[in-house]
Amino acid sequence: MAVGSLLVLLDDIAVVLDDVAVMTKVAAKKTAGLLGDDLALNAQQVTGVSAERELPVVWAVTKGSFINKLILVPMALLISYFIPWLITPLLMLGGAFLCYEGFEKVLHYVLHPNKAHQKELRKTAIKTPSELVLFEKDKIKGAIRTDFILSAEIIVVALGTVTGASFSQQIIVVSGIAFLMTVGVYGLVAGIVKLDDAGIYLIKKQGISAWRKLQRMFGQFLLSFAPLLMRVLTVLGTAAMFLVGGSIINHGLPWLHHLNEKLLKYVEGDSIFSSIMTTVAPFISDAILGIIIGAICFSLVSIILKIVPTRT
């Protein structure tokens, strides 16, 4: 009898773990869209920091990110437990904020393509040791503030995928996603910011053997690839803002979601073109919606800032 009860218990545990694994996978897919922007923003935060201080700065921001998660995860779970109806509005708010951020980035790049670069160049000018310490602290504080916003978005999106699950499963999935995202993002950030150093290290390899020549060639490739990777991550991150934000709002408004489903039926068919359009159309729809929402939010914020007096 005891053996039978133990087997039943183990079977129940296996089922629960399987459900958690499935939900974690779904939540990871939903939050992966925010990863590119998270990587790009956090990798840019160490721009201007001396090479030997890049990893300590990344580690300091990582610790700050864990503290952010320790604050945000319990808050999100408490909201889910006591006022679950608030999850969808929070998701919508987070989606709108993503669209706003994306639109602001694109507009700033179009109107002031060189302004941000010139500002960064001024920041990275030679400084005294005391100025460098303050500069580094400002970088860390700014990165942790940015991480707080992105972490909130990731946690709310992850929580939105497990709203129908038990509270214990929500705790496991959301906590797991928060931990994995933090380790994954800042592990990749550390690797990205050290790509150029790895390239320089390989280029300095001496010798005339084929292996040494290959190492120097790969080092040169890394030096060329590092800035290109940053630009690609920035573009993908901005695109992800519109796609993820638009998708969240699209699913949060049932009438809009049903309208998109009806429009999608017009491109369904047996041809290759129809198959491609059936796959691509939802992304195009989410991106267009994201851009429209971003433009509306940006306009509203601009009007509010003009009406409300700012402190001098």
Side-chain angles (χ1 to χ4, degrees):
M1 187 71 178
V3 174
S5 299
L6 178 61
L7 290 175
V8 171
L9 177 61
L10 291 175
D11 184 63
D12 291 341
I13 292 172
V15 170
V16 171
L17 290 176
D18 185 60
D19 291 342
V20 168
V22 171
M23 287 185 288
T24 302
K25 186 177 180 180
V26 172
K29 285 182 178 179
K30 288 285 186 180
T31 55
L34 302 170
L35 187 62
D37 183 60
D38 209 346
L39 280 173
L41 287 175
N42 285 292
Q44 287 172 345
Q45 292 293 343
V46 297
T47 303
V49 177
S50 58
E52 66 273 10
R53 293 295 303 162
E54 285 176 342
L55 289 182
V57 168
V58 172
W59 174 237
V61 178
T62 304
K63 290 187 289 185
S65 179
F66 276 117
I67 293 172
N68 287 341
K69 303 297 193 303
L70 287 174
I71 296 170
L72 290 167
V73 170
M75 285 177 58
L77 290 169
L78 286 173
I79 290 172
S80 175
Y81 187 78
F82 290 106
I83 38 179
W85 57 265
L86 193 58
I87 295 297
T88 298
L90 285 176
L91 276 169
M92 299 279 285
L93 188 62
F97 182 77
L98 275 176
C99 297
Y100 166 79
E101 270 196 324
F103 190 83
E104 186 183 38
K105 277 186 174 184
V106 173
L107 193 65
H108 186 269
Y109 179 79
V110 171
L111 298 179
H112 311 286
N114 298 317
K115 189 174 180 181
H117 179 64
Q118 291 171 353
K119 183 179 180 181
E120 196 59 46
L121 284 177
R122 288 195 298 271
K123 284 183 178 181
T124 56
I126 297 174
K127 299 175 174 66
T128 64
S130 59
E131 288 177 326
L132 285 171
V133 171
L134 291 174
F135 174 69
E136 187 176 299
K137 287 182 178 179
D138 288 340
K139 282 281 185 180
I140 293 170
K141 288 179 181 178
I144 292 174
R145 283 196 300 267
T146 302
D147 176 89
F148 189 88
I149 296 170
L150 291 170
S151 295
E153 292 165 352
I154 288 170
I155 290 167
V156 171
V157 170
L159 191 58
T161 65
V162 292
T163 49
S166 66
F167 188 64
S168 60
Q169 289 176 330
Q170 290 181 5
I171 292 174
I172 296 171
V173 172
V174 176
S175 300
I177 288 294
F179 178 79
L180 290 174
M181 280 291 179
T182 304
V183 173
V185 166
Y186 289 101
L188 288 171
V189 167
I192 290 170
V193 300
K194 300 308 288 184
L195 275 179
D196 50 355
D197 290 341
I200 292 172
Y201 173 77
L202 291 174
I203 287 174
K204 290 180 178 179
K205 290 287 186 179
Q206 301 295 323
I208 59 173
S209 66
W211 173 241
R212 290 300 188 190
K213 289 180 181 179
L214 184 62
Q215 284 181 309
R216 289 194 290 270
M217 287 176 59
F218 187 64
Q220 189 62 52
F221 167 75
L222 287 180
L223 280 179
S224 304
F225 178 69
L228 176 63
L229 178 61
M230 284 299 302
R231 287 195 292 269
V232 170
L233 281 174
T234 301
V235 172
L236 291 178
T238 304
M241 285 181 166
F242 292 123
L243 287 169
V244 176
S247 176
I248 290 171
I249 293 172
N250 185 15
H251 286 83
L253 299 174
W255 63 269
L256 186 59
H257 185 60
H258 293 321
L259 176 63
N260 282 331
E261 288 180 340
K262 288 181 180 179
L263 293 174
L264 192 60
K265 291 181 179 179
Y266 289 102
V267 298
E268 291 179 350
D270 298 327
S271 65
I272 296 176
F273 176 76
S274 296
S275 299
I276 295 173
M277 285 303 299
T278 301
T279 303
V280 174
F283 295 100
I284 296 174
S285 173
D286 290 339
I288 292 173
L289 178 61
I291 293 170
I292 294 171
I293 295 297
I296 293 172
C297 291
F298 184 84
S299 301
L300 290 174
V301 171
S302 299
I303 293 171
I304 292 171
L305 290 176
K306 287 181 180 180
I307 295 175
V308 178
T310 55
R311 293 182 180 179
T312 54

